[in-house]
Amino acid sequence: MFLAIKEMLHEKLRYSLIVALIFLVSYLLIILTGLATGLANLNKAAINEWDASSIVLNSDSEGRLQQSFLSQDEVASLPNNGTRISQYSTLVKSENGLKENTQLVGLDSKSFIFKKLKITSGSKNIRNNAGVVSDKFKSDGFQIGDHLLVANSSLRIKITGFTPRATLSALPVVYISPDTIQPLNKGVTNAVVFRNKLKNSKIPKGTNQLSISSFIKKLPGYSAQQLTFDFMIAFLYIIILIVISIFLYILTVQKLPNLGVLKAQGVSTQYLILSTLFQSFIISVIGVIIAIILGEITAITLPSEVPIVIDKSNIIVTGIGIIIMSLLGALIPIRQIAKVDPYKIIGG
Amino acid sequence: MSNLIFESVTKVFGEGSSKYVALENINFKAESGQLILVVGPSGSGKTTFLTIAGGLQTPTEGDVKINDSTIKSLSEKQQTKLRLEKIGFVLQSYNLVPFLTVEEQFKLVDKLKKQNLTEQKMHELLSDLGLLELLKKYPNQLSGGQKQRVAIARALYTDPDYILADEPTAALDTDRSMKVIELLRDLAHKRNKIIIVVTHDLRLKNTADKVYQIIDGKMQMIN
């Protein structure tokens, strides 16, 4: 790849401009992917932590927890290894004036979901109006032992522990016992969550079983939000493809006479094509690496209210995606290289 | 002893009403140690002759043989290898890669041939051609004559059997043109190469061992 490296080193400005463009688009891509992941996590993090496979809801609920009400008969006819979920959205306040919109989730302390919950500090206790709360409360100033005063009710929930990644529909979750939530939602069970998928014969009439991934897609606003991000991300990939194609095309057109002469002198088409692919690979790798570094710095510097998550898997997928787009972008210039006829260059 | 032979070579472009005979029944033989000039007006078929001799085009009829083997029987890959190892091209322009220094033009040949840089050989060549002080210069830092001399040195670096030069003096003034052509003649004689120069510049014809003229695709020896 002698020719490719020498050209890039000699034409620093040209290739730096391409790298800068790839960096800018890649940076935007990484930030958008990070925001898409962060917002998705805000919606579904708690559900992912449940580590469940399926959820049974009322058939008329359109897959939405808040709209689902299961009768006692329906709950009783389901297998008893599921976790009964009662949900109630409300505002809670601390005694020293802190406020937080929240999702109260009632479940049994012997349920598999509760057993799986991790604790970052405090203890895992939801007896006697105690609650294990999302660690978002902690970052907002709440402490172990604080009491959460539930709006429009006399209920006081004592914080006993903080649990990580506990957000549902972009609100932090407070896990409490069925007894504690009972006065708020009149003992209604909204859904039953199972570790495994149930056979259809075990699903009572009037209820519907959804996979957890389908349930997440039906969270209010979730699919619309993710689709919007997906479109923006897809367009950015296309932009990278076009930018690389145009730049490499122009550079190739400018050096076609030299390429023709090189071919005449015995340089194989394969060598010239590999040189172009190598250049495309190198400039995209440099652009992506700079974008990743600056993306990470941005994610650290942004205020915690911005839900951005730049994780390894996203970086790997985005990086590989950009590099593939860059290599695809080199296809048009490669076609030109393959077609250049030394005879036409020499013959004029 | 190397040779290049054209046996009844005809080259036709297009067909029907757009049919054009660029070369017609050419018989030609060149042997080592000769500087051969091929002259003719623009559009006479000189460059077609040169590109067929260099394996860049195949004749419509007839055969071209290099050291008794027919070019058209070679695969494209073999022809590329032949051009890299046996043929040196010197052209009017674009001879040198603009982003490589003089030294790197030679290194590129080494990389392509997967050989280590034979610095001694490169230095010897450049010294012979009075170019040693230009090693670190880029083509745009060289004069027209220097560029042509570097191109000739680069063409010789692979130790080819023959060198094909297309209007190598077109961009040079009379004095520099004569120096370049004299250099080529010396190389043909001292290094025992076949050097074929295609040109429309009749001032050069007294410098060659043989002079051929092409007019309307027909070739004849005139000197």
Side-chain angles (χ1 to χ4, degrees), chain B residues 90-92 148 165-172 180-181 184 197-199:
Chain B
V90 179
L91 307 170
Q92 182 182 337
Q148 285 303 45
D166 185 27
E167 305 278 10
T169 60
L172 306 177
V180 167
I181 214 74
L184 289 170
V197 177
V198 158
T199 182

Side-chain angles (χ1 to χ4, degrees), chain A residues 256-261 340-348, chain B residues 91 94:
Chain A
L256 274 183
N258 290 107
L259 295 176
V261 171
V340 66
D341 185 349
Y343 163 70
K344 284 185 181 155
I345 302 296
I346 295 168
Chain B
L91 307 170
Y94 305 117

Side-chain angles (χ1 to χ4, degrees), chain A residues 57-96:
Chain A
L57 301 131
N58 186 289
S59 300
D60 296 328
S61 66
E62 291 293 313
R64 297 195 169 173
L65 194 61
Q66 294 92 329
Q67 293 166 199
S68 171
F69 303 99
L70 298 179
S71 69
Q72 286 187 349
D73 287 347
E74 286 166 343
V75 173
S77 59
L78 283 164
N80 58 8
N81 59 347
T83 299
R84 297 170 187 190
I85 297 282
S86 299
Q87 179 266 348
Y88 187 79
S89 303
T90 188
L91 175 85
V92 292
K93 292 180 270 186
S94 72
E95 282 163 335
N96 50 8

Side-chain angles (χ1 to χ4, degrees), chain A residues 137-181:
Chain A
F137 280 87
K138 192 177 180 181
S139 58
D140 288 347
F142 291 85
Q143 293 179 339
I144 303 285
D146 282 358
H147 281 89
L148 302 176
L149 312 176
V150 179
N152 304 315
S153 106
S154 56
L155 182 61
R156 288 158 56 90
I157 300 166
K158 186 183 175 187
I159 299 174
T160 54
F162 291 108
T163 182
R165 297 175 293 278
T167 51
L168 179 61
S169 292
L171 295 175
V173 172
V174 173
Y175 289 105
I176 50 178
S177 70
D179 290 341
T180 308
I181 204 168

Side-chain angles (χ1 to χ4, degrees), chain B residues 70-197:
Chain B
T70 311
I71 293 184
K72 71 179 176 191
S73 66
L74 303 175
S75 67
E76 198 176 322
K77 202 173 176 182
Q78 286 170 321
Q79 286 185 22
T80 301
K81 193 165 184 274
L82 176 86
R83 288 200 296 274
L84 179 66
E85 294 177 350
K86 301 285 182 194
I87 306 171
F89 273 98
V90 179
L91 307 170
Q92 182 182 337
S93 54
Y94 305 117
N95 273 307
L96 304 175
V97 184
F99 48 83
L100 297 181
T101 62
V102 170
E103 186 177 24
E104 288 164 351
Q105 308 278 345
F106 292 86
K107 276 188 185 170
L108 174 64
V109 177
D110 286 327
K111 299 282 177 193
L112 294 169
K113 290 188 78 178
K114 297 185 174 78
Q115 65 186 20
N116 291 325
L117 179 70
T118 45
E119 269 190 48
Q120 195 187 340
K121 189 176 173 186
M122 179 181 71
H123 283 201
E124 193 183 298
L125 260 175
L126 291 172
S127 175
D128 280 359
L129 301 178
L131 298 166
L132 211 47
E133 71 282 7
L134 305 176
L135 270 180
K136 302 293 176 193
K137 302 265 188 198
Y138 284 98
N140 63 359
Q141 296 170 309
L142 305 177
S143 68
Q146 286 172 330
K147 276 184 200 169
Q148 285 303 45
R149 280 188 287 153
V150 172
I152 292 166
R154 186 206 171 279
L156 284 168
Y157 187 57
T158 55
D159 198 22
D161 289 340
Y162 61 103
I163 288 179
L164 302 173
D166 185 27
E167 305 278 10
T169 60
L172 306 177
D173 58 32
T174 306
D175 190 38
R176 288 200 174 91
S177 294
M178 291 314 289
K179 280 182 180 164
V180 167
I181 214 74
E182 278 164 15
L183 171 69
L184 289 170
R185 187 182 57 191
D186 286 351
L187 292 171
H189 294 167
K190 286 178 188 167
R191 292 175 185 261
N192 212 28
K193 305 289 179 197
I194 301 171
I195 297 185
I196 300 173
V197 177

Side-chain angles (χ1 to χ4, degrees), chain A residues 106-281:
Chain A
L107 42 61
D108 196 282
S109 60
K110 288 176 186 156
S111 65
F112 78 91
I113 290 179
F114 189 73
K115 284 178 186 167
K116 272 193 175 294
L117 285 184
K118 295 175 187 77
I119 296 290
T120 50
S121 58
S123 63
K124 211 158 82 171
N125 171 23
I126 54 172
R127 281 169 297 175
N128 304 325
N129 288 356
V132 171
V133 305
S134 162
D135 52 11
K136 169 90 171 39
F137 280 87
K138 192 177 180 181
S139 58
D140 288 347
F142 291 85
Q143 293 179 339
I144 303 285
D146 282 358
H147 281 89
L148 302 176
L149 312 176
V150 179
N152 304 315
S153 106
S154 56
L155 182 61
R156 288 158 56 90
I157 300 166
K158 186 183 175 187
I159 299 174
T160 54
F162 291 108
T163 182
R165 297 175 293 278
T167 51
L168 179 61
S169 292
L171 295 175
V173 172
V174 173
Y175 289 105
I176 50 178
S177 70
D179 290 341
T180 308
I181 204 168
Q182 203 273 339
L184 297 171
N185 75 341
K186 299 181 180 113
V188 165
T189 299
N190 297 93
V192 183
V193 178
F194 291 92
R195 202 183 274 127
N196 303 308
K197 197 167 184 290
L198 297 183
K199 286 180 182 167
N200 284 338
S201 58
K202 291 187 176 177
I203 314 294
K205 201 180 171 190
T207 66
N208 191 17
Q209 179 181 225
L210 288 177
S211 67
I212 286 296
S213 57
S214 303
F215 172 63
I216 287 172
K217 282 180 191 160
K218 287 179 182 286
L219 289 173
Y222 179 86
S223 290
Q225 183 188 77
Q226 291 303 304
L227 267 177
T228 309
F229 275 110
D230 288 347
F231 269 116
M232 287 193 282
I233 289 165
F235 275 118
L236 281 176
Y237 276 117
I238 293 168
I239 288 170
I240 286 186
L241 181 67
I242 293 169
V243 164
I244 293 268
S245 292
I246 290 173
F247 264 88
L248 289 180
Y249 175 82
I250 293 168
L251 288 179
T252 306
V253 165
Q254 286 175 339
K255 61 187 181 189
L256 274 183
N258 290 107
L259 295 176
V261 171
L262 281 171
K263 276 191 178 185
Q265 289 169 338
V267 179
S268 67
T269 304
Q270 188 191 10
Y271 181 88
L272 298 173
I273 286 174
L274 285 176
S275 279
T276 303
L277 278 176
F278 180 75
Q279 287 178 334
S280 186
F281 176 77

